[in-house]
Amino acid sequence: MPTININKWILKDLTGLNEQELEEYLFRLKSEVSPLNEDEYSIEVNADRLDMLSLGGIVRALKGITEQELGEPRYIVKETDYSLEVGDVPSRPYALACVVYNVKLDPEVYLKELIQFQEKLHDTIGRKRKKVAIGIHDLEKVKSKRIQYRLVPYSAKFVPLGQDKEMSVDEVSRNTYQGKQYSQISMRDGYSPAIVDEEGILSLPPVINSERTRVTSRTKSLLLDVTGTNLDSVVQTMDLIATGLAELGAEIGIVKIEGIEIGRSPVLRHDTVYARLADIRERLGINLSGDQVVKLLRKMRMEAEVRGDSVVVNVPPYRVDIMNYTDIAEDVGMAYGYENFDLEKSRVYEIGHLFSITSLYRKLRISLVGAGFVEVYSLNLIKSSYQKGEYVKISNPISIEYDSIRNSLAWNSLLFLSRNQHSRFPVRIFEIGDVVRRDNAKDTGYTNETMLSVAIMDSRVSYEMLQAPIHQVLLNLTGTVPSYKAKDNDLFIRGRSAEIWLGYEKIGILGEINPSVLNEFGLVYPVLFSEISLNVLEEVMKP
């Protein structure tokens, strides 16, 4: 979960709460507080509460849960004569802008908190700036009221943030930390997205801002820009940062947007969610009236009203996590206080028991160990060059040694035996584990199957050396005599393999490994191998 650092004295001053109360109420809001130093708290915020990644958002939530303020705040929103023209930027097509007046950035802890909020939004909703990026500028340093978002060539020059000399866009991408980190996200074919005014480049989204519009603790007004690849995410991000600043006393200025379907920004989008009161009661297990639900939702800084048997919630722009009635019920539960829930004593008592597949595994394990076999364990991942047939290939493996998921236990057994050819003969092993096999009936096209493999390596082998113990184990386990049908298989020597049947179901295979397969694994001794499906065996054993 994301963690933010907040000045404790400012938080106490803005909320009127002491340290114990802050800890208690933030815990009710799914956040955990721990002292970072004598001046700061470290607050771990639940990943869905993006509004609480800022000082303003935390203050707003705390004032609601403590009933200092109820319902959605009414922020000052002004019309302005600023405009943003959105051009054709294929790599990052969406952009919005906003003006914020009377912003409080002094003392400097407020500025530090704003930059922290920007970076936390980059990391969460912005997906490390790939989906959304935010630019923050000193409005007084912007030279025109008509701003453009368009492509600029690599040869275009400006002074990047933190630098003291002019650099080309190409130099920024190659020679600055931000350029090396983010330029590959949006720079294409010799051009980069840019926010520009009449004097030149204000920023290169999502890479870096201009030094010319650097924000300081003396800054009184801001120009915000948000660019991205998804319009909904861009709208939500702008609403989050604008309302977070407004909660601390700033005034929101509307910017006219040209070139995309949204005509003004910030949108300050409100959504409507309907939730049946019966569903809320059933989900929480408490009997609340409609008026009680409305009051509790107002504590969570939302407006709501009862209509018939439902509550209609007007979701404010900063609550981007509210999507359906389950989210509404969760907020009602938090406002009610989970410590106030009465726990009912369970009237159902049942002794735990093993899954049938686990019980089968344990019985097989005991039987095979008793028959003189040693259990081995191996990873589900294996080098793809060892496998035959269809298998799942990993697109970005950490190591080429583990670049696929096994489709049989045979490969792991043969690898194990190849590395133990110096051991005292015979080497008798078994393994029980999952494999992934093709299954067109599944949505993914593949399915997991639990398998048993049994193998014997010796200087001389015969079919009966493995068939006899498997036959006895299956007979003891099921009470049914297994049968065998000759069947050639590329894994085995021709004429020395069979299918294992139990009743009318094929449960596995058995045979002597083909010398060509032995050579692939560096084996110089013959190997007997059998593989049985525990899933099929489990079905056969059902009464």
Side-chain angles (χ1 to χ4, degrees):
M1 294 192 294
T3 301
I4 61 173
N5 300 331
I6 297 292
N7 183 280
K8 65 168 67 174
W9 311 113
I10 289 178
L11 187 58
K12 288 179 178 180
D13 181 60
L14 292 175
T15 61
L17 302 175
N18 60 39
E19 191 160 335
Q20 183 177 349
E21 291 170 330
L22 285 171
E23 183 175 339
E24 175 188 338
Y25 286 112
L26 282 170
F27 186 77
R28 285 178 60 177
L29 291 165
K30 303 190 295 185
S31 301
E32 293 191 30
V33 182
S34 58
L36 186 64
N37 53 52
E38 62 180 12
D39 293 318
E40 287 184 302
Y41 291 132
S42 175
I43 303 176
E44 189 175 14
V45 180
N46 203 64
D48 63 341
R49 289 301 301 267
L50 298 180
D51 58 307
M52 290 182 62
L53 294 175
S54 72
L55 173 62
I58 288 180
V59 169
R60 178 173 52 223
L62 286 171
K63 285 184 176 179
I65 200 77
T66 57
E67 299 188 62
Q68 297 178 48
E69 296 178 6
L70 297 175
E72 181 183 352
R74 294 290 179 255
Y75 301 129
I76 299 174
V77 180
K78 296 181 176 180
E79 296 293 332
T80 74
D81 48 2
Y82 283 88
S83 65
L84 174 67
E85 179 185 346
V86 181
D88 184 16
V89 182
S91 65
R92 206 172 187 82
Y94 303 108
L96 296 179
C98 171
V99 173
V100 183
Y101 300 106
N102 299 324
V103 65
K104 187 173 184 179
L105 300 179
D106 186 25
E108 198 162 317
V109 290
Y110 283 98
L111 175 59
K112 178 182 175 183
E113 192 280 325
L114 174 60
I115 302 303
Q116 176 183 243
F117 186 31
Q118 177 190 28
E119 289 308 313
K120 293 300 179 182
L121 290 177
H122 280 160
D123 291 343
T124 52
I125 192 171
R127 300 293 188 268
K128 302 289 185 182
R129 305 195 192 188
K130 292 179 181 178
K131 192 175 183 181
V132 168
I134 305 160
I136 304 176
H137 312 272
D138 188 327
L139 184 63
E140 293 180 3
K141 299 173 184 177
V142 178
K143 298 303 181 183
S144 62
K145 293 189 175 182
R146 184 170 181 79
I147 315 300
Q148 290 183 308
Y149 175 59
R150 58 180 174 84
L151 294 174
V152 296
Y154 280 6
S155 58
K157 293 187 175 184
F158 73 114
V159 180
L161 188 66
Q163 303 294 324
D164 56 5
K165 63 178 181 178
E166 200 171 55
M167 301 173 69
S168 69
V169 172
D170 185 51
E171 289 173 328
V172 169
S173 69
R174 290 185 291 106
N175 301 328
T176 65
Y177 171 79
Q178 295 90 338
K180 293 173 184 177
Q181 287 285 106
Y182 306 113
S183 61
Q184 77 281 0
I185 295 175
S186 58
M187 292 186 180
R188 303 281 189 279
D189 304 320
Y191 288 90
S192 171
I195 302 288
V196 301
D197 65 0
E198 64 182 22
E199 192 170 298
I201 295 174
L202 297 177
S203 68
L204 297 179
V207 182
I208 196 169
N209 282 0
S210 165
E211 176 69 21
R212 171 162 61 96
T213 56
R214 173 189 283 274
V215 175
T216 70
S217 60
R218 296 186 298 276
T219 299
K220 299 301 180 185
S221 300
L222 299 174
L223 170 68
L224 308 176
D225 69 73
V226 179
T227 62
T229 58
N230 178 276
L231 183 57
D232 282 341
S233 297
V234 170
V235 169
Q236 289 175 350
T237 303
M238 180 61 83
D239 284 353
L240 281 166
I241 197 165
T243 53
L245 289 167
E247 184 64 34
L248 299 177
E251 300 171 2
I252 300 172
I254 299 295
V255 173
K256 182 181 179 182
I257 307 297
E258 302 171 4
I260 57 176
E261 60 267 32
I262 291 180
R264 49 193 280 134
S265 171
V267 177
L268 300 177
R269 177 185 290 170
H270 288 73
D271 293 321
T272 301
V273 174
Y274 293 82
R276 293 177 63 245
L277 290 168
D279 289 338
I280 294 174
R281 295 181 188 120
E282 181 180 0
R283 196 163 192 86
L284 295 177
I286 51 178
N287 188 22
L288 297 172
S289 68
D291 289 341
Q292 286 176 307
V293 170
V294 168
K295 181 179 179 181
L296 292 170
L297 287 171
R298 297 195 75 225
K299 288 177 66 174
M300 301 303 289
R301 308 312 302 270
M302 292 183 284
E303 298 294 348
E305 64 175 338
V306 178
R307 293 184 193 171
D309 62 352
S310 297
V311 59
V312 182
V313 184
N314 186 23
V315 181
Y318 46 83
R319 290 304 302 274
V320 297
D321 58 306
I322 301 292
M323 290 179 282
N324 53 42
Y325 89 92
T326 58
D327 301 313
I328 298 299
E330 182 185 28
D331 266 38
V332 170
M334 284 192 289
Y336 183 79
Y338 289 121
E339 70 279 6
N340 297 319
F341 280 65
D342 292 326
L343 299 179
E344 292 185 8
K345 189 174 182 180
S346 175
R347 294 185 295 272
V348 178
Y349 300 92
E350 186 174 343
I351 297 173
H353 59 274
L354 296 174
F355 287 121
S356 58
I357 194 80
T358 305
S359 178
L360 177 59
Y361 161 69
R362 292 189 176 187
K363 291 175 182 177
L364 281 168
R365 183 175 184 273
I366 292 171
S367 298
L368 287 164
V369 169
F373 291 85
V374 176
E375 186 173 14
V376 299
Y377 300 90
S378 61
L379 298 174
N380 288 358
L381 301 182
I382 192 171
K383 192 174 183 178
S384 58
S385 60
Y386 291 129
Q387 299 211 70
K388 298 183 185 300
E390 286 192 276
Y391 55 85
V392 177
K393 185 77 180 288
I394 299 171
S395 60
N396 57 340
I398 294 176
S399 167
I400 60 171
E401 296 299 319
Y402 305 103
D403 64 347
S404 67
I405 304 174
R406 64 187 179 188
N407 61 7
S408 169
L409 296 182
W411 326 125
N412 300 89
S413 297
L414 292 172
L415 274 173
F416 180 88
L417 292 173
S418 71
R419 293 163 183 168
N420 288 273
Q421 297 183 81
H422 61 282
S423 299
R424 184 175 180 178
F425 283 171
V427 178
R428 300 157 64 89
I429 63 169
F430 76 94
E431 180 176 7
I432 298 175
D434 285 350
V435 302
V436 176
R437 290 181 168 172
R438 168 65 74 178
D439 185 350
N440 294 324
K442 300 290 185 179
D443 292 340
T444 60
Y446 290 86
T447 188
N448 284 24
E449 191 170 0
T450 304
M451 307 295 292
L452 161 69
S453 68
V454 187
I456 298 176
M457 178 174 65
D458 205 344
S459 55
R460 289 185 179 183
V461 298
S462 64
Y463 174 85
E464 294 79 10
M465 287 175 64
L466 185 57
Q467 185 265 343
I470 286 179
H471 181 93
Q472 194 62 48
V473 166
L474 291 174
L475 177 60
N476 293 345
L477 184 69
T478 65
T480 302
V481 178
S483 60
Y484 308 89
K485 297 181 181 180
K487 181 74 173 180
D488 285 332
N489 186 311
D490 291 340
L491 183 62
F492 302 118
I493 298 173
R494 188 174 181 82
R496 298 191 193 178
S497 62
E499 294 176 341
I500 306 171
W501 288 71
L502 209 58
Y504 298 101
E505 293 289 340
K506 173 191 168 185
I507 64 170
I509 56 175
L510 170 68
E512 184 177 346
I513 297 292
N514 194 308
S516 64
V517 177
L518 295 177
N519 288 335
E520 291 178 18
F521 287 86
L523 282 157
V524 297
Y525 298 103
V527 173
L528 298 168
F529 178 79
S530 175
E531 189 168 37
I532 295 171
S533 171
L534 265 60
N535 298 97
V536 178
L537 183 57
E538 181 187 20
E539 288 296 318
V540 172
M541 292 176 63
K542 286 183 178 178

